[in-house]
Amino acid sequence: MNEEINNGNALPQTTVNPNVVKMKTFWKKFIRNKPAVIGGALILFFILTALIGPHLVPHSPNVQNLANKLNGPSAEHWFGTDQYGRDIFSRIINGMGITLYVGFFSVTIGLIVGVTLGIISGYYGGKLDAIIMRIMDVLLAFPGILLALAIVSVLGGSLQNVIISVGIFSIPVFARIVRGSTLAVRKLEYIDAVKALGANDFRIIFKHILPNVTSPIIVQATLSIATSILTASGLSFIGMGAQPPMPEWGAMLSDGRNYMYDAGHVAAIPGLAIVVVVLAFNIFGDGLRDALDPKMKN
Amino acid sequence: MTKATDTLIEEPILEIRNLQTSFFTDKFEVKAVDGVNFAVPKGKTLGIVGESGSGKSITSLSILRLIQNPGKVKGGEVIFKGENLLDKTEAQMRQIRGNEISMIFQEPMTSLNPVYTVGQQISESFQIHQKMSKKEAMLRSVEMLKLVGIPSPERRVKQYPHELSGGMRQRVMIAMALACDPELLIADEPTTALDVTIQAQILELMKDLQNRLGMSIIMITHDLGVVAETCDYVAVMYMGKVVEYAAVKDLFKHPKHPYTVGLLNSLPRHDIDLEDEELQVIKGSVPSPADMPKGCRFAPRCPFASEICRERLPDLEESEDGNQIRCWIYTDEWDGEPEVNVNGERTS
């Protein structure tokens, strides 16, 4: 009874911050977006595959069997064999881990550096903002893969360097998005209110602004993973990334292109795998954006 | 420049002398606060009244040094407990904000962070200034909610701002501001966004807390009703300057400045029958701060303005009763009609 009387005081819910969406409405919108749900389910499936798959596959990814090379799909080799007679199915499953690893870690680098720069830029403004954002503009001016390629050629071709270079190339996107959201949030009255309470800049930035700009960051991170995977595969394709015999999809695609006419599946299957993973992340990211963006009603 | 006097104020907790705050654009400077003087007596409430753009909010933000680019406090002194706040470092200011001087804002809807519970936000002051643990701070937050009259505070403390009504949120804001027992509370239009019955409750609460905790209050408002109800002294601001400073009773009984008179006359009155009289308005509108009149700021709208008003800016002069007024009419230099009746007599 008492409970009811007190609740009677509360007004209907109003969204105060444009960047914050209630968890409930988020789920409702997200579940209704069928492609996004499928994308999410696929990503979950990919992660499980990457974790458990390598222990279950029938063949080792690097065992050669030259007598059996360039065979088409069969009951024994589901996706056929490549030019050394290795089982493509096992290689794809093992490559899943590499692909996701590259995607997640490079985006993590870009996210941490980009979010920090963007939030500082947006909060302090002025000269600092101008300097940071001009550097970001320079990075953005390069076509993505060209920048990654330049960095990798300086650092040397290896998977680790691919992660670093792809990470650097995703910094400006995060910096820009976070700067924009920070500009909007820092003008809000509750930031003035905590300032008037005596909070220092560090506290304001990380405790009060950051939680209010997370939704655009989450969406961008998901979409960036797709781009990063694509760029990393591209680098491996031109031989600047993962080195043989690593079952990296881009490298596998590159190997397979020599046998396009005789055994198309050697190139087609890793290509298809890249497409499916990138697509899954993209539609999942789009769905997240629709569900988290309050401007997109219904 | 006149100093706030000893006859009027025995022991000011805060004294502002010739405060100047400007905003700079590429082409010109906008003097939002232009030489403001006033004092806040200990344990009393000072009301700052004025139209939008008169500089009252900027004055309060200048006290806490929260003016942001492109604004800047250009000069003057803000003496708080004998020390000039404008000479303090940023780190020293942070120690004062929320601890010795607190502020509550106009919009209770947007003044609370939507991602934290009410308790977490009140705890913030305890954590910043008293280095309390989270648990301890949370217990104190419950006490604060009780203090500001929120029912079942143990439950409320875990709720998010969107679960509370506007009046509740303003109570939470007050709890946040009073958490560290400040000596001065600046309330920037604390009741403007609330409906009338809630307004009365919040004002009542603030008065009650002032009696219990003994703090001084600066009440910024455009609502003369709020002033009459809560303040001991009033500073009337017009275009970045204080035009009249008086004890609240004197101001309502004998308003002197034509602007104050205009403000009071534009209020509906209940004590006399006004059936055949229309509500009066102050003619014209506030000029752009970028285009200040040369003489008295109010001269273009003043029904009594004469030659000297348009030519020279009057000083803030003290009158016999200890109040202060910035108007030529009350000086020896007055060149207009000798017997001007500003019509400031009011029966109530």
Side-chain angles (χ1 to χ4, degrees), chain A residues 4 25 28 34 43 46 72 79 82 90 102 105 121 124 127-128 158 181 189 195 217 235 237 272 286 294:
Chain A
E4 270 171 42
T25 35
K28 239 205 254 147
K34 287 275 142 38
I43 290 170
F46 294 151
F79 291 168
D82 67 4
S90 306
V102 172
F105 275 86
S121 201
Y124 288 105
K127 274 190 193 126
L128 193 64
S158 76
S181 308
E189 231 170 1
K195 251 187 218 164
I217 297 176
L235 285 175
F237 181 83
L272 212 62
D286 280 343

Side-chain angles (χ1 to χ4, degrees), chain A residues 205-222:
Chain A
I205 290 176
F206 290 102
K207 204 172 163 195
H208 291 275
I209 294 180
L210 190 58
N212 282 298
V213 297
T214 41
S215 37
I217 297 176
I218 293 170
V219 172
Q220 187 52 47
T222 321

Side-chain angles (χ1 to χ4, degrees), chain A residues 3 6 9-11 13 16-17 20 22 189-190 192-193 195-200 203 207-208 211-212, chain B residues 68 94 97-98 105 107 109-116 124-125 127 129 151-152 155-156 163 165 168 176:
Chain A
E3 201 84 333
N6 285 329
N9 282 338
L11 290 174
Q13 296 189 359
V16 177
N17 182 342
V20 174
K22 304 275 136 44
E189 231 170 1
Y190 58 80
D192 285 336
K195 251 187 218 164
L197 279 184
N200 57 21
R203 195 183 191 94
K207 204 172 163 195
H208 291 275
N212 282 298
Chain B
Q68 281 171 2
R94 280 202 296 270
R97 289 182 202 135
F105 292 85
E107 272 297 337
M109 297 292 168
T110 53
S111 299
L112 293 168
N113 193 336
V115 302
Y116 292 113
E124 191 104 30
S125 328
Q127 286 170 358
H129 295 294
S152 49
R155 194 169 58 83
R156 289 289 183 190
E163 296 173 86
S165 66
M168 284 284 178
M176 272 170 82

Side-chain angles (χ1 to χ4, degrees), chain A residues 62-252:
Chain A
N62 292 329
V63 169
Q64 301 186 1
N65 181 359
L66 291 173
N68 233 342
K69 66 176 189 178
L70 298 174
N71 278 353
S74 62
E76 174 70 16
H77 301 287
W78 289 3
F79 291 168
T81 56
D82 67 4
Q83 72 274 28
Y84 300 115
R86 295 177 295 197
D87 179 39
I88 294 182
F89 178 69
S90 306
R91 286 177 70 75
I92 291 286
I93 298 296
N94 277 278
M96 181 76 78
I98 300 171
T99 304
L100 294 182
Y101 174 80
V102 172
F104 284 128
F105 275 86
S106 56
V107 167
T108 305
I109 294 174
L111 187 143
I112 292 172
V113 180
V115 167
T116 312
L117 287 177
I119 216 165
I120 287 173
S121 201
Y123 182 72
Y124 288 105
K127 274 190 193 126
L128 193 64
D129 176 35
I131 293 168
I132 292 175
M133 289 328 284
R134 288 306 78 73
I135 295 172
M136 294 300 119
D137 284 347
V138 169
L139 287 181
L140 270 179
F142 286 102
I145 196 148
L146 203 63
L147 179 67
L149 189 60
I151 299 167
V152 167
S153 43
V154 171
L155 297 174
S158 76
L159 202 61
Q160 196 192 336
N161 291 342
V162 166
I163 293 176
I164 294 171
S165 66
V166 174
I168 292 174
F169 129 80
S170 58
I171 290 172
V173 191
F174 283 104
R176 292 202 131 198
I177 285 176
V178 172
R179 174 180 175 266
S181 308
T182 305
L183 282 177
V185 172
R186 116 189 140 151
K187 298 254 162 65
L188 295 176
E189 231 170 1
Y190 58 80
I191 299 299
D192 285 336
V194 281
K195 251 187 218 164
L197 279 184
N200 57 21
D201 288 350
F202 186 83
R203 195 183 191 94
I204 293 170
I205 290 176
F206 290 102
K207 204 172 163 195
H208 291 275
I209 294 180
L210 190 58
N212 282 298
V213 297
T214 41
S215 37
I217 297 176
I218 293 170
V219 172
Q220 187 52 47
T222 321
L223 295 173
S224 276
I225 288 176
T227 325
S228 297
I229 288 173
L230 208 55
T231 314
S233 303
L235 285 175
S236 295
F237 181 83
I238 53 176
M240 299 302 284
Q243 302 301 321
M246 228 181 203
E248 208 281 335
W249 296 349
M252 286 165 70

Side-chain angles (χ1 to χ4, degrees), chain B residues 188-206:
Chain B
D188 189 355
E189 310 225 10
T191 56
T192 307
L194 305 173
D195 61 54
V196 188
T197 47
I198 308 295
Q199 258 186 36
Q201 288 176 16
I202 295 290
L203 293 176
E204 193 59 43
L205 171 72
M206 289 179 66

